[in-house]
């Protein structure tokens, strides 16, 4: 009897120990996973103004080496993504790669605290771009100016903070109009890029002259159609409907994205999107 009892107690203690080890391992794993997630710079806070200089230095000194894949090795994230409740599950990209490899859309977003090193796109303008891109814009601007074409930098870098404020404001507006939060978020994402998915957040895109559809009918647009690729810029969101399905964004004749001269030339000459160029088109 006693022996049996003792044996039961030992068994019970043993089981407890096993459970404890399993629990500790699980918690440890979760903490590691969380830290790894954090190390990809998704911190859950929007602090673009507080980005450390080490991050900036890293970007400035990058040698543009291109890993085989920039995004597929990233964590598939992300129940932690703040708009996951509306079905958005973007991967967080590593922005420290060759600019031509940076793809941003609802599937791929920037780390939450990302802020590029900035420079004025055109001397004396208040409009900024990634400092690596600004000289190309200036050169394009100067070349066009010689032909009396004025490529006014209308909107360049936009902080993640501002993108989020705009996005949240639109969600609130739709909720005020009677939608529930999920529905409002889905609708907001149709008109405002998800925070972190706008190329303006990366300082890689410029809205030129205006954000009006009529820009298509200007001599500035005509000039860009002929020459933008020579300076590394592409028309990022083309008019063609099949292309719109690939980019997920409506035609924007004013929005030019810097991808570097070589990529811009190929993309423009082949008439493809950045998604197709990078082999990431879903349709
Ligand atoms: Zn734009």
């Amino acid at each position: 009897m006693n022996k049996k009892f003792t044996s039961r107690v030992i068994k019970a203690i043993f089981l407890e120990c096993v459970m404890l080890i399993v629990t500790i391992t699980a918690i440890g794993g979760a903490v590691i996973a969380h830290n790894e997630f954090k190390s990809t710079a998704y911190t859950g806070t929007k602090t673009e103004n507080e980005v450390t200089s080490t991050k900036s230095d890293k970007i400035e000194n990058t040698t543009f080496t291109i890993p085989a894949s920039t995004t597929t090795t990233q964590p598939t994230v992300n129940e932690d993504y703040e708009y996951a409740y509306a079905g958005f599950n973007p991967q967080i990209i590593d922005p420290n790669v060759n600019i031509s490899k940076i793809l941003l859309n609802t599937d791929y977003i920037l780390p939450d605290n990302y802020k590029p090193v900035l420079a004025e796109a055109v001397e004396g303008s208040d409009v900024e771009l990634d400092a690596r891109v600004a000289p190309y814009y200036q050169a394009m601007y100067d070349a066009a100016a010689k032909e009396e074409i004025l490529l006014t930098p209308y909107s360049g870098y936009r902080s993640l903070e501002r993108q989020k404020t705009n996005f949240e404001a639109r969600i609130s507006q739709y909720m005020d109009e009677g939608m529930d939060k999920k529905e409002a978020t889905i609708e907001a994402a149709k008109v405002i890029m998800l925070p972190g998915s706008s190329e303006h957040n990366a300082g890689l895109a410029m809205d030129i002259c205006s954000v009006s559809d009529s820009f298509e009918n200007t001599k500035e647009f005509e000039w860009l159609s002929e020459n933008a690729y020579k300076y590394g810029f592409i028309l990022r969101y083309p008019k063609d409907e099949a292309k719109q399905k690939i980019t997920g964004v409506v035609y924007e004749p004013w929005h030019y994205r810097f991808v570097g001269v070589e990529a811009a030339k190929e993309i423009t000459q082949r008439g493809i999107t950045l998604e197709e160029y990078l082999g990431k088109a879903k349709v």
Side-chain angles (χ1 to χ4, degrees):
M1 182 76 178
N2 269 350
K3 202 177 174 189
K4 231 179 188 179
F5 180 71
T6 311
S7 154
R8 267 194 207 156
V9 168
I10 289 170
K11 258 188 195 167
I13 291 170
F14 176 72
L15 267 174
E16 281 294 322
C17 285
V18 168
M19 289 306 289
L20 192 63
I21 289 165
V22 167
T23 309
I24 289 168
T25 310
I27 290 170
V31 170
I32 289 163
H34 186 63
N35 287 343
E36 275 172 0
F37 185 55
K38 275 203 156 174
S39 76
T40 65
Y42 185 90
T43 62
T45 48
K46 309 278 181 184
T47 54
E48 62 87 14
N49 290 327
E50 296 163 24
V51 176
T52 61
S53 60
T54 42
K55 184 86 178 170
S56 303
D57 292 341
K58 201 173 164 193
I59 295 160
E60 214 165 36
N61 297 332
T62 184
T63 50
F64 289 177
T65 43
I66 308 167
S69 166
T70 61
T71 50
T72 51
T73 56
Q74 293 297 307
T76 46
V77 213
N78 117 21
E79 295 81 41
D80 288 0
Y81 184 57
E82 60 186 313
Y83 304 109
Y85 65 85
F88 298 110
N89 187 31
Q91 294 183 9
I92 296 164
I93 67 155
D94 173 5
N96 298 306
V97 293
N98 187 304
I99 285 175
S100 68
K101 300 284 178 184
I102 295 180
L103 178 64
L104 295 170
N105 56 34
T106 47
D107 293 325
Y108 301 102
I109 61 168
L110 291 164
D112 214 6
N113 59 357
Y114 182 71
K115 185 182 179 185
V117 178
L118 296 168
E120 277 183 336
V122 173
E123 215 184 314
S125 74
D126 263 345
V127 184
E128 294 176 306
L129 287 172
D130 181 308
R132 297 167 295 178
V133 176
Y136 288 88
Y137 193 87
Q138 179 79 60
M140 182 166 78
Y141 180 89
D142 292 343
K146 282 184 188 149
E147 299 173 41
E148 295 182 356
I149 303 286
L150 195 59
L151 301 179
T152 307
Y154 183 80
S155 180
Y157 171 71
R158 187 185 308 142
S159 72
L160 274 161
E161 185 70 36
R162 202 174 130 204
Q163 191 78 23
K164 194 186 173 194
T165 304
N166 294 346
F167 191 67
E168 296 280 343
R170 190 58 70 111
I171 293 173
S172 298
Q173 182 197 323
Y174 288 152
M175 287 175 76
D176 288 346
E177 290 169 17
M179 292 183 196
D180 66 27
K181 194 176 178 190
K182 182 180 174 183
E183 196 185 354
T185 304
I186 291 167
E187 288 306 306
K190 288 180 185 170
V191 285
I192 296 177
M193 300 294 279
L194 285 175
S197 74
S198 167
E199 295 175 335
H200 291 284
N201 300 154
L204 298 180
M206 179 67 82
D207 295 335
I208 301 176
C209 292
S210 71
V211 285
S212 159
D213 286 335
S214 63
F215 182 64
E216 185 188 22
N217 306 314
T218 62
K219 61 184 190 307
E220 287 79 14
F221 178 79
E222 195 183 333
W223 192 93
L224 286 165
S225 302
E226 294 276 314
N227 299 293
Y229 76 89
K230 297 172 190 167
Y231 302 90
F233 288 88
I234 57 165
L235 175 70
R236 177 67 175 93
Y237 304 120
K239 191 174 194 175
D240 181 89
E241 278 188 20
K243 300 297 182 197
Q244 287 189 35
K245 281 195 182 124
I246 293 170
T247 63
V249 177
V250 295
Y251 178 44
E252 291 193 356
W254 59 83
H255 180 107
Y256 284 79
R257 156 71 198 269
F258 183 81
V259 291
V261 175
E262 201 180 313
K265 191 175 174 190
E266 184 177 340
I267 288 168
T268 304
Q269 286 179 347
R270 289 173 60 195
I272 56 173
T273 59
L274 185 57
E275 279 82 0
E276 291 165 291
Y277 177 73
L278 295 174
K280 303 239 167 148
K282 285 195 296 188
V283 283

